[in-house]
Each structure stands twice: as structure tokens, then as C-alpha cells.
Amino acid sequence: QVQLLESGGGSVQSGGSLRLSCTASGDTVRSYCMVWFRQAPGKEREGVAAIASDGMTNYADSVKGRFTISRDNAENTVYLQMNNLEPEDTAMYYCAAVRDFGYYSGIYYLENSSAMNSWGKGTLVTVSS
């Protein structure tokens, strides 16, 4: 089973950018659907962005046009580039993985976090106004 480690969180001002990294070990990320989730205090966990094994990407409406998910197979790492950050983006961000056999789309996994098999410990993003 793949192990995941997130990094890159921090504190930025509104309008700033951050790039989160999710480095995998134990297996190759290209065999998985990789999803970034976030959870703000007092709120439910929310799917943010997904990248399937075929490279197809999906995003939550709240981040479309601002966030970009990508994968570097050589580095066995998935990235989340976050631009034009808003205070509403403040949350703990988690990377999650599920083996991708092509049965479900990234949209499905964005909306069904219980389907994910492996989780990282999270990295905190704080955006101040």
C-alpha cells in the first residue's frame, strides 16, 4: 500500500500562492487516482482536485481556475499549485490515493473520500486577508 507525505503548507496573504507536494513511497503514483482534500475547522472534508492514472484532472468548483493538480512520475510526487489564494482556502490539506482501475472518475473520488485507501497526515494552509 502506498504511503503519502505532504509538504509545502504555510501562511500567505490573500492573493498569494503556494505549492503543495505529496510524495509517495511503496508504490508508483501513476497507478493511482490521487486526490487532494481539505478540511477547515468546523467544516466537512472537501475534495479539491483529482488526477487519474490517465492524467485526467477534475476540480471542485470553488478552486477551478486557481488550483492546478499535476503529477511527476519520475519524482513519484503529486503537486497542488494554488494561486490567488483566499481566506476561505484556509484548511488542513490532505493527499489521498486509491488504485485506479478505471471504474470511477476523479469526480467520483472528489465526492467520496471514504473510497480512498491511503492518506497522508496533512499540511496546514493559512491565508490571511
Side-chain angles (χ1 to χ4, degrees):
Q1 190 162 339
V2 68
Q3 292 83 48
L4 305 173
L5 180 64
E6 304 96 334
S7 61
S11 297
V12 296
Q13 290 190 328
S14 181
S17 298
L18 283 173
R19 188 178 78 159
L20 305 183
S21 299
C22 173
T23 300
S25 60
D27 206 345
T28 175
V29 294
R30 63 186 174 193
S31 300
Y32 290 77
C33 182
M34 304 294 295
V35 183
W36 285 98
F37 292 88
R38 68 185 181 186
Q39 188 165 19
K43 295 188 177 181
E44 293 187 356
R45 186 162 49 195
E46 172 190 23
V48 175
I51 184 165
S53 59
D54 63 1
M56 184 167 290
T57 58
N58 297 100
Y59 298 92
D61 287 343
S62 58
V63 306
K64 279 181 182 176
R66 300 189 299 122
F67 290 12
T68 302
I69 189 171
S70 62
R71 184 179 65 214
D72 186 329
N73 292 333
E75 296 293 328
N76 215 27
T77 298
V78 173
Y79 300 99
L80 184 67
Q81 178 66 44
M82 306 186 295
N83 298 328
N84 195 21
L85 283 161
E86 304 168 350
E88 292 74 22
D89 297 316
T90 295
M92 185 71 80
Y93 283 72
Y94 299 91
C95 177
V98 60
R99 286 297 298 265
D100 190 358
F101 297 106
Y103 298 146
Y104 298 107
S105 68
I107 294 175
Y108 173 84
Y109 292 117
L110 282 176
E111 299 174 350
N112 292 278
S113 62
S114 60
M116 309 306 291
N117 297 134
S118 300
W119 290 83
K121 294 185 181 300
T123 186
L124 181 63
V125 172
T126 304
V127 185
S128 58
S129 57

